[in-house]
Amino acid sequence: MTSPPPEHVRSAFAVAAAEPQHLPGGRSLAFRCGDVVLKPVDNAAEASWLAAAFEQLRVDGIRIARPVRSSDGRWVVSGWSAQRFVSGRPAPRFGEIISVGVELHRALAGLPRPKFLDHAEGLYSWADRISWGESAASTEGLGEGVGADTFAALAAGRHDVDLPSQVVHGDLVGNVLFAGSAPPAVIDITPFWRPPLWASAVAVVDAVAWGGADPEMAAALQQQTHWRQMLRRALMFRLAISLAHPRSTSESLVGVLSAVQLLEPMMNENLPGLGAH
């Protein structure tokens, strides 16, 4: 957990009088101050782009955590950004989460590719690129053993696809909140430039790996063009993160490896070498 936002940051976002309350979930970095949530940002360009994109975005049937400008119009102050607080909690309503993602991505379809993605670095960008076979970076971060072998087996079945890319939320599970009869709320957008079907596949992987979901909850997605390839890339993406993240746990890795086995029939392709794992 990081330290609470300093007073000058709270003043800039007009919540100086509010006592910061640490919010659970995510990376344990966010603090609620009245009706505003403040959190530190890793990339000011990304945070500013997201705020500008979501300031006026309207999506039928979905609540959006609206960005908040500082008193001088900035989106980021001393490394902190602000959003309106939205009520709700994550819930294992995975079919609804995928549907929320579909509607959100439909609303985002017209946005141009953000320039900050051209220079994105870090673990998640690396995992994304190697799972698509785009990165010249070494795969040494995968290490050796069953996990690395499974990644290689998945990669062996990867082939090019012809699907349009756009801005998508690459971390839907855990970032869609439910509150009684209120519409679901979307928070903490993690932007990627990928086909929306890939984002749905990542949600399926997360639901099966760590949410105890039945793989059949995604049966309807199997009818979509290139679903098998999107699922393959989603599994590789999450597997790479679990293998290389410095705070990854054995439970996390086991969850992804189990998801590979459970979702293999949905890919309807033989994955060389997976039968022994």
Side-chain angles (χ1 to χ4, degrees), residues 40-243:
V41 300
D42 297 324
N43 185 320
E46 175 181 322
S48 296
W49 187 92
L50 285 170
F54 282 82
E55 183 180 22
Q56 300 297 329
L57 186 72
R58 295 292 184 270
V59 187
D60 290 342
I62 298 175
R63 294 177 292 148
I64 302 291
R66 299 289 173 197
V68 176
R69 290 183 183 270
S70 69
S71 56
D72 62 2
R74 288 179 291 167
W75 293 119
V76 179
V77 176
S78 297
W80 290 81
S81 66
Q83 297 177 334
R84 293 294 174 195
F85 174 77
V86 292
S87 61
R89 295 179 180 275
R93 295 160 64 171
F94 301 117
E96 293 176 70
I97 291 170
I98 291 171
S99 296
V100 165
V102 170
E103 293 303 317
L104 175 66
H105 296 144
R106 185 174 289 124
L108 294 174
L111 293 178
R113 178 183 170 89
K115 291 184 178 179
F116 68 81
L117 289 178
D118 295 335
H119 310 288
E121 298 179 351
L123 174 63
Y124 292 87
S125 295
W126 166 79
D128 173 49
R129 289 167 179 156
I130 66 169
S131 67
W132 282 77
E134 295 178 351
S135 179
S138 171
T139 58
E140 290 182 0
L142 301 175
E144 299 179 352
V146 170
D149 291 345
T150 301
F151 186 95
L154 287 163
R158 182 180 56 203
H159 59 70
D160 292 341
V161 296
D162 183 20
L163 286 176
S165 292
Q166 64 166 78
V167 173
V168 297
H169 190 336
D171 193 20
L172 285 163
V173 174
N175 289 312
V176 177
L177 308 183
F178 297 93
S181 61
V186 177
I187 63 171
D188 291 346
I189 308 297
T190 304
F192 292 89
W193 188 256
R194 294 299 179 196
L197 189 58
W198 172 82
S200 295
V202 173
V204 169
V205 171
D206 292 351
V208 173
W210 304 304
D214 186 331
E216 288 305 311
M217 51 81 68
L221 294 170
Q222 294 183 73
Q223 308 307 314
Q224 298 198 37
T225 304
H226 298 309
W227 165 248
R228 291 179 296 180
Q229 285 295 314
M230 294 301 99
L231 182 57
R232 184 179 296 273
R233 285 161 169 77
L235 285 164
M236 295 169 69
F237 172 66
R238 282 305 191 207
L239 181 56
I241 292 170
S242 290
L243 288 169

